[in-house]
């Protein structure tokens, strides 16, 4: 059953967990997989930044107390390096037992033999309840209909706004009735370029994580559902891109060029220089830690025809083929990716975007969650769909093309027509090159 069919009731009573921060109610012993008899070492390849590693260590210490026959050994990569390090490990025959898998890497890594098919073990474990995960989150890890990894996080992209800027301007906050034209009008009103203040932050994205925010309201997509054809040359996609290009370079409602590059992490919104931006649940800890202003979120503005849509994306974990203990690896993952595991790791910590509805509901009460964080939950239920590309062997290459061209458009170094032409030529060539291998 798709999680979009679930009701919007509260899924879980978290009184004990919320008050103590403890992990409670873990899944019982596996009935169909034997526990290891001797102490075994379970190895991991992860990429957590230093600030989040103590949370991981706290979880793992609790896991080893519950499973004294398992010792955990983690190798941490940087986010920038991980997707290159893992194939190098595979080539050298030194893969750990469990690896972090970004949603865009599941299909190519499955085809390359870097992660194994875990479909039968997952679906046979009724206590684990894979059907209780967001269907959009599990979709990323199905290869030829078979599950090859499982998500820990998955979240939608919606609208974020600077509450203080709206208050100072005496303007109403974005509402559920807003359209993209309302966004543009508010951005123009809130802009004071002489003071270095803008209504929109100028970021633009055509990749799997956020392309829906920038294209879907116009009925446009970056490619078809089968990921065999690029679709950015439609009138709808052209209209969408002209809207964002105009907002930045013609209406001057957003910083452009070197001005935008000057902000930390190229993020004018987080720096307090822009009133609105697109935002994901996983942005919220950084926002809470770095943003020098009050902020909140609203639904994605609608298109002229009332269309409201956006994309969602996430990451997960897979078991490698060189592991000699896949049963032990599953003992870990079934707890780590259970409701309680997700609540401890990504809800109560404020990390955001757990891949189960119960986890997202619990996250809404965490400190980093914005006042109207429920709009993330509503997006996942009602209108967010998994962003392309993710199921093509060319996903990484096409993603790079989309990111490069979107950045050129954002910087004003290429026109809409030029960006569309390049994506259609290079992106389509990349998709065509792998079509025979799918």
């Amino acid at each position: 059953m798709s999680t979009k069919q679930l009701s919007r009731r509260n899924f879980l009573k978290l009184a004990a967990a919320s008050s103590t921060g403890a992990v409670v109610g873990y899944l019982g012993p596996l009935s169909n997989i034997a526990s290891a008899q001797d102490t075994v070492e379970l190895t991991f390849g992860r990429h957590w930044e230093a600030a989040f590693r103590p949370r991981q260590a706290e979880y793992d210490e609790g896991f080893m107390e519950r499973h004294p026959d398992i010792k955990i050994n983690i190798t941490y990569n940087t986010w920038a390096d991980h997707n290159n390090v893992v194939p190098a490990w595979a080539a050298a025959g030194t893969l750990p037992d469990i690896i972090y898998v970004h949603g865009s890497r599941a299909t190519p890594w499955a085809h390359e033999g870097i992660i194994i098919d875990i479909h039968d073990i997952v679906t046979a474990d009724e206590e684990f309840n894979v059907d209780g995960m967001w269907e959009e989150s599990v979709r990323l890890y199905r290869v030829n209909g078979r599950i090859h990894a499982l998500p820990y996080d998955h979240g939608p992209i919606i609208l974020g706004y600077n509450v203080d800027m709206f208050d100072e301007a005496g303007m109403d906050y974005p509402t559920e009735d807003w359209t993209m034209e309302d966004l543009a009008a508010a951005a123009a009103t809130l802009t004071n370029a002489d003071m270095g203040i803008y209504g929109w932050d100028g970021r633009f994205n055509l990749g799997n994580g956020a392309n829906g925010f920038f294209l879907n309201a116009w009925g446009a997509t970056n490619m078809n559902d089968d990921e065999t054809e690029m679709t950015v040359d439609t009138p709808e996609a052209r209209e969408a891109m002209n809207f964002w290009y105009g907002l930045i370079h013609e209406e001057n409602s957003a910083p452009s060029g070197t001005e935008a590059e000057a902000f930390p992490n190229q993020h004018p919104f987080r720096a307090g220089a822009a009133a609105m931006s697109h935002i994901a649940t996983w942005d919220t800890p950084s926002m809470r830690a770095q943003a020098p202003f009050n902020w909140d979120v609203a639904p994605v503005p609608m298109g002229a025809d009332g269309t409201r849509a956006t994309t969602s994306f996430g990451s997960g974990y897979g078991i490698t083929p060189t592991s000699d203990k896949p049963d032990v690896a599953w003992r870990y993952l079934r707890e780590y990716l259970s409701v309680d595991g997700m609540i401890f790791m990504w809800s109560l910590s404020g990390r955001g975007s757990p891949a189960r509805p119960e986890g997202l509901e619990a996250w809404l009460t965490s400190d980093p969650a914005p006042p109207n964080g429920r709009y993330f939950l509503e997006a996942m239920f009602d209108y967010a769909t998994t962003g392309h590309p993710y199921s093509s062997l060319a996903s990484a290459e096409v993603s790079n093309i989309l990111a490069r061209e979107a950045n050129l458009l954002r910087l004003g170094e290429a026109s809409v027509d030029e960006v569309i032409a390049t994506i259609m030529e290079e992106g389509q060539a990349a998709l065509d090159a792998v079509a025979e291998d799918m």
Side-chain angles (χ1 to χ4, degrees):
M1 178 179 65
S2 169
T3 51
K4 287 195 175 190
Q5 297 175 313
L6 298 174
S7 64
R8 283 201 193 93
R9 62 183 175 81
N10 290 334
F11 301 100
L12 194 65
K13 293 182 179 179
L14 293 167
S18 296
S19 61
T20 66
V23 185
V24 296
Y26 270 106
L27 297 173
L30 284 169
S31 59
N32 60 334
I33 301 174
S35 299
Q37 298 302 310
D38 301 317
T39 300
V40 294
E41 183 179 67
L42 197 59
T43 55
F44 293 78
R46 287 190 162 114
H47 78 85
W48 299 139
E49 70 277 13
F52 196 61
R53 294 179 190 179
R55 188 71 172 187
Q56 184 65 63
E58 184 179 357
Y59 176 86
D60 288 341
E61 287 169 4
F63 180 87
M64 287 186 287
E65 288 178 3
R66 294 188 299 277
H67 303 271
D69 57 322
I70 299 175
K71 177 183 178 182
I72 292 173
N73 186 349
I74 300 175
T75 297
Y76 281 111
N77 300 316
T78 65
W79 164 247
D81 292 339
H82 183 82
N83 291 333
N84 294 321
V85 169
V86 168
W89 281 342
T94 57
L95 283 166
D97 297 301
I98 297 173
I99 56 172
Y100 164 87
V101 184
H102 187 255
S104 65
R105 295 308 195 274
T107 294
W109 284 3
H111 279 264
E112 293 165 18
I114 293 175
I115 53 176
I116 64 171
D117 182 333
I118 56 173
H119 187 89
D120 291 339
I121 193 174
V122 170
T123 56
D125 191 342
E126 294 182 1
E127 276 191 283
F128 178 73
N129 186 23
V130 68
D131 291 336
M133 291 179 156
W134 298 112
E135 169 57 24
E136 293 301 323
S137 69
V138 180
R139 187 187 307 279
L140 288 169
Y141 310 99
R142 286 199 184 96
V143 182
N144 296 326
R146 306 278 296 178
I147 296 171
H148 283 69
L150 284 169
Y152 69 84
D153 82 334
H154 195 93
I157 309 298
I158 62 175
L159 180 65
Y161 63 95
N162 185 317
V163 170
D164 295 344
M165 282 191 182
F166 275 82
D167 287 345
E168 290 169 7
M171 294 175 59
D172 293 335
Y173 305 141
T175 70
E176 296 179 8
D177 297 326
W178 258 34
T179 66
M180 286 297 181
E181 293 303 323
D182 292 322
L183 182 153
T189 300
L190 289 160
T191 294
N192 186 337
D194 292 338
M195 297 291 293
I197 300 298
Y198 296 91
W200 179 250
D201 77 345
R203 293 188 299 154
F204 180 66
N205 192 321
L206 290 173
N208 46 32
N211 75 82
F213 183 95
F214 295 99
L215 297 177
N216 290 171
W218 289 265
T221 58
N222 61 359
M223 63 182 63
N224 65 358
D225 286 343
D226 294 335
E227 297 194 3
T228 56
E229 296 181 9
M230 303 302 301
T231 57
V232 296
D233 61 345
T234 64
E236 293 82 4
R238 194 176 302 274
E239 182 181 2
M241 283 192 250
N242 275 316
F243 174 88
W244 298 108
Y245 183 90
L247 198 65
I248 301 169
H249 302 295
E250 295 169 2
E251 299 168 30
N252 300 315
S253 294
S256 61
T258 55
E259 185 177 20
E261 299 286 303
F263 290 98
N265 299 316
Q266 301 177 22
H267 211 306
F269 177 65
R270 192 178 297 167
M276 293 178 286
S277 178
H278 68 297
I279 191 169
T281 46
W282 54 80
D283 291 321
T284 57
S286 296
M287 287 293 298
R288 180 55 59 93
Q290 301 172 20
F293 54 86
N294 294 309
W295 62 280
D296 206 349
V297 295
V300 177
M302 297 177 290
D305 65 351
T307 298
R308 191 194 313 280
T310 193
T311 40
S312 59
F313 216 74
S315 300
Y317 282 93
I319 301 173
T320 64
T322 53
S323 173
D324 59 357
K325 56 187 85 71
D327 55 339
V328 180
W330 178 241
R331 287 173 64 196
Y332 181 93
L333 288 179
R334 74 188 298 267
E335 290 194 11
Y336 191 59
L337 303 179
S338 70
V339 171
D340 291 318
M342 288 189 182
I343 288 173
F344 179 80
M345 286 297 300
W346 297 286
S347 302
L348 299 181
S349 70
R351 185 80 175 189
S353 60
R356 292 181 183 271
E358 297 96 328
L360 189 53
E361 178 81 4
W363 170 78
L364 295 177
T365 65
S366 71
D367 184 58
N372 282 306
R374 69 182 186 280
Y375 286 128
F376 286 113
L377 189 67
E378 291 183 7
M380 284 303 298
F381 273 120
D382 297 340
Y383 61 89
T385 56
T386 304
H388 298 289
Y390 64 88
S391 63
S392 169
L393 294 179
S395 290
E397 182 179 358
V398 174
S399 292
N400 289 337
I401 294 168
L402 291 167
R404 182 195 68 210
E405 294 303 308
N407 195 47
L408 291 175
L409 192 69
R410 177 182 68 85
L411 295 173
E413 296 178 5
S415 68
V416 169
D417 287 344
E418 289 170 333
V419 164
I420 289 174
T422 300
I423 292 174
M424 291 304 300
E425 179 181 357
E426 296 185 16
Q428 191 61 52
L431 295 178
D432 291 343
V434 301
E436 296 182 359
D437 295 327
M438 294 298 291

